[in-house]
Structure formats: structure tokens, C-alpha cells
Amino acid sequence: FVGLCLAVGSLHKSSSSSLVSSSRQEQVVPYRCPAEVETSGNDNHEGMFDKYAHSSKTDYNKTLDDFRSMYQKAWSMKYPDVKEMVAPWKEVAFVPHIQSGDSIYESACGIGINLLATLEILASHGIHDLTIYGNDYVQENVDLGNYLWSETDAKFLGHKGHLCRGDSSHLDHVPSD
């Protein structure tokens, strides 16, 4: 399923540009979103991603708090249940490897609900001041994600780097360091 890829990692920066304080001027990992996105290998029939585009268009007036209380169709459960389900894995996979001030990239991030769960789980372990990045194949998801992660309530959780349209099987634009 395209929107649930859990390919999240840490994009480290040199110590001279590390993110240390929530009052600091935001520093963004330098990379460019793809100018053009070719048809994905899993986009194999007309309208395959229309339901995601439609959902993002109708949810454009919602906040992260709204999404926390909504039924998450992609997971077939409510957000608190999603977070509870993924927490044990994220605590093992991320907590030992991510520090306050790091950056996280999620491929196939949708509108960023999995990133929301990740940041909340990491915050419960004292890891804060993270910058999020990601890509999704559906432009409407990217637009809604950029909107949601630019809102005031999102800024208490982390900082938005780039969320852009991209095919998760072609991540050449993402820096390896």
C-alpha cells in the first residue's frame, strides 16, 4: 500500500548546522524536490490514486487535532489505535538512533499522519526539535501535508522541511547524508 511505507530515517547534518533549539532559525537540509515525476510502476490503471486525491481535497480545512480524532481509513482504525499499534516498533527502530534536532524523511508519507505518530512517540521519549521531510506520489496529499505541517499546532511537534511529490521508487533527490 503506497501510503504506508515506513521508510523513515535520520538525515544528519554537520554539527555546525545542527538543530538545537526550538527558538533557532529553521535550517533545512539542502535538496530539491523532483521537477517532474514520471508515472509510477504501481500507477497501472486510470484513476488508481483518485480516492487519495479526493480525500485530501475534502479534508483540506482540517487540523492535526481533527486527524487525531478521525477514523484513519488507510489503517482501518482511529488515530490513537494506530499510534498504539506502531509505538513498540518505533520505540525499537527509532528511539536509539534519533536525537533531538535530527531530521526524519518518510517516503510515501501521504499527508503526514505516520510522521505525526512518530513525532509524538519520540517526544514521549524526550526527543524533540525534529524536522520532517517526505514525499508522496499524490500531489493533493503533498499539498494537504504541507498545509497541516505549516499550522501553528504542528510547530509544537516539529519543523517542516520539504514535503514534495515524488515516486518512492525513485528517491535520487534525497541526500544520503
Side-chain angles (χ1 to χ4, degrees), residues 46-113:
E46 185 71 29
M48 180 161 181
F49 293 97
D50 289 353
K51 67 180 177 181
Y52 304 109
H54 175 74
S55 179
S56 288
K57 285 179 185 176
T58 59
D59 289 339
Y60 206 81
N61 61 343
K62 294 183 172 54
T63 66
L64 285 177
D65 278 340
D66 293 329
F67 282 98
R68 283 184 184 102
S69 63
M70 289 171 56
Y71 180 81
Q72 300 299 314
K73 294 175 226 161
W75 283 295
S76 301
M77 60 182 76
K78 287 201 164 221
Y79 175 78
D81 299 323
V82 170
K83 188 172 146 186
E84 182 180 341
M85 177 184 71
V86 300
W89 181 80
K90 289 180 184 284
E91 288 166 345
V92 170
F94 300 146
V95 171
H97 306 288
I98 295 178
Q99 305 171 43
S100 292
D102 278 352
S103 297
I104 297 175
Y105 190 95
E106 182 180 354
S107 180
C109 66
I111 64 171
I113 297 301

Side-chain angles (χ1 to χ4, degrees), residues 4-160:
L4 291 177
C5 178
L6 296 175
V8 180
S10 179
L11 297 173
H12 294 283
K13 293 183 284 287
S14 68
S15 59
S16 64
S17 65
S18 65
L19 306 173
V20 256
S21 160
S22 58
S23 63
R24 53 99 178 117
Q25 181 180 4
E26 290 186 36
Q27 297 179 17
V28 177
V29 173
Y31 80 92
R32 293 176 200 241
C33 296
E36 293 182 28
V37 178
E38 294 181 21
T39 301
S40 174
N42 65 350
D43 188 358
N44 53 18
H45 67 275
E46 185 71 29
M48 180 161 181
F49 293 97
D50 289 353
K51 67 180 177 181
Y52 304 109
H54 175 74
S55 179
S56 288
K57 285 179 185 176
T58 59
D59 289 339
Y60 206 81
N61 61 343
K62 294 183 172 54
T63 66
L64 285 177
D65 278 340
D66 293 329
F67 282 98
R68 283 184 184 102
S69 63
M70 289 171 56
Y71 180 81
Q72 300 299 314
K73 294 175 226 161
W75 283 295
S76 301
M77 60 182 76
K78 287 201 164 221
Y79 175 78
D81 299 323
V82 170
K83 188 172 146 186
E84 182 180 341
M85 177 184 71
V86 300
W89 181 80
K90 289 180 184 284
E91 288 166 345
V92 170
F94 300 146
V95 171
H97 306 288
I98 295 178
Q99 305 171 43
S100 292
D102 278 352
S103 297
I104 297 175
Y105 190 95
E106 182 180 354
S107 180
C109 66
I111 64 171
I113 297 301
N114 185 54
L115 285 166
L116 174 63
T118 302
L119 265 58
E120 289 180 349
I121 292 164
L122 292 173
S124 74
H125 290 274
I127 302 170
H128 302 278
D129 201 29
L130 300 170
T131 303
I132 62 160
Y133 298 84
N135 71 277
D136 196 81
Y137 186 68
V138 178
Q139 183 62 53
E140 291 83 356
N141 287 349
V142 173
D143 294 343
L144 180 55
N146 275 307
Y147 166 77
L148 287 171
W149 285 98
S150 296
E151 291 296 299
T152 303
D153 60 336
K155 293 177 182 177
F156 291 109
L157 289 169
H159 313 283
K160 183 178 72 69

Side-chain angles (χ1 to χ4, degrees), residues 155-172:
K155 293 177 182 177
F156 291 109
L157 289 169
H159 313 283
K160 183 178 72 69
H162 298 296
L163 298 179
C164 58
R165 182 164 188 258
D167 180 352
S168 294
S169 64
H170 300 286
L171 297 175
D172 300 345

